[in-house]
Amino acid sequence: MREPVADGGGKRELRAAILQRRSDRSEDERAAAAAAIAAHLASAPFARAPRVAVYLSMGSEPGTGPLIELLVARGTEVVVPVAAADGALDWVRYEPGAHLNRSGLGVLEPDGPRLGADAIAGVGLVIVPALAVDHAGWRLGRGAGYFDRALVHAGGPICALVYADELLPAVPHEAHDVPVNLVVTESGIFRVPS
């Protein structure tokens, strides 16, 4: 059992440092990382599930566009998160070319029927954003807890996407944080030891 570590303010400083490093990356570096991440996941057996949950990347996050294109081309049903009225995450089936709206959180979300918060119970893989992940699977998000609350419904392995320098020996975490099982960077796939 993984024990929580008190934050002690460490999350705020780590978030700021990582966000600064991300903003310093060139568009070419970001595009190369997104392509490499998609290629690594393409070769992984766990990414061949018939239904996968993936976030739509924004800004300087590791890009999910190439990965989503690959999954859709394979015939995988892709579901993406959208904000629900109660502040939780709901899920919508991703359709290439669908109209995207910018949410109040600044995230692009597709139109479409809402599948419910528990839609990720039926997916074979849940891919989540992170600012950093440590070797025990603790994920540092942006601090609002949307994904931590949503992941209680996850039925398959949870995979975070980060840049290689964001896979760290340890990150601060709290009791409500949900660890991931896998981390994918442009350098490869890291399986969190059980």
Side-chain angles (χ1 to χ4, degrees), residues 94-141:
Y94 177 82
E95 297 290 345
H99 178 73
L100 299 175
N101 301 302
R102 191 161 301 277
S103 75
L105 300 172
V107 178
L108 290 175
E109 301 178 341
D111 289 329
R114 302 293 174 113
L115 303 173
D118 62 349
I120 62 170
V123 302
L125 179 66
V126 181
I127 299 173
V128 298
L131 291 173
V133 180
D134 71 17
H135 296 175
W138 295 112
R139 171 188 155 274
L140 179 69

Side-chain angles (χ1 to χ4, degrees), residues 11 17 20 47 70 83 144 155 159 161 168 175 177 181-182 188:
K11 285 185 174 184
Q20 181 59 54
L70 181 146
C159 175
L161 305 185
L168 305 174
D177 292 334
N181 310 102
L182 305 155

Side-chain angles (χ1 to χ4, degrees), residues 64-77:
T64 57
L67 172 61
I68 292 171
E69 288 175 16
L70 181 146
L71 292 170
V72 169
R74 252 189 207 169
T76 303
E77 180 184 5

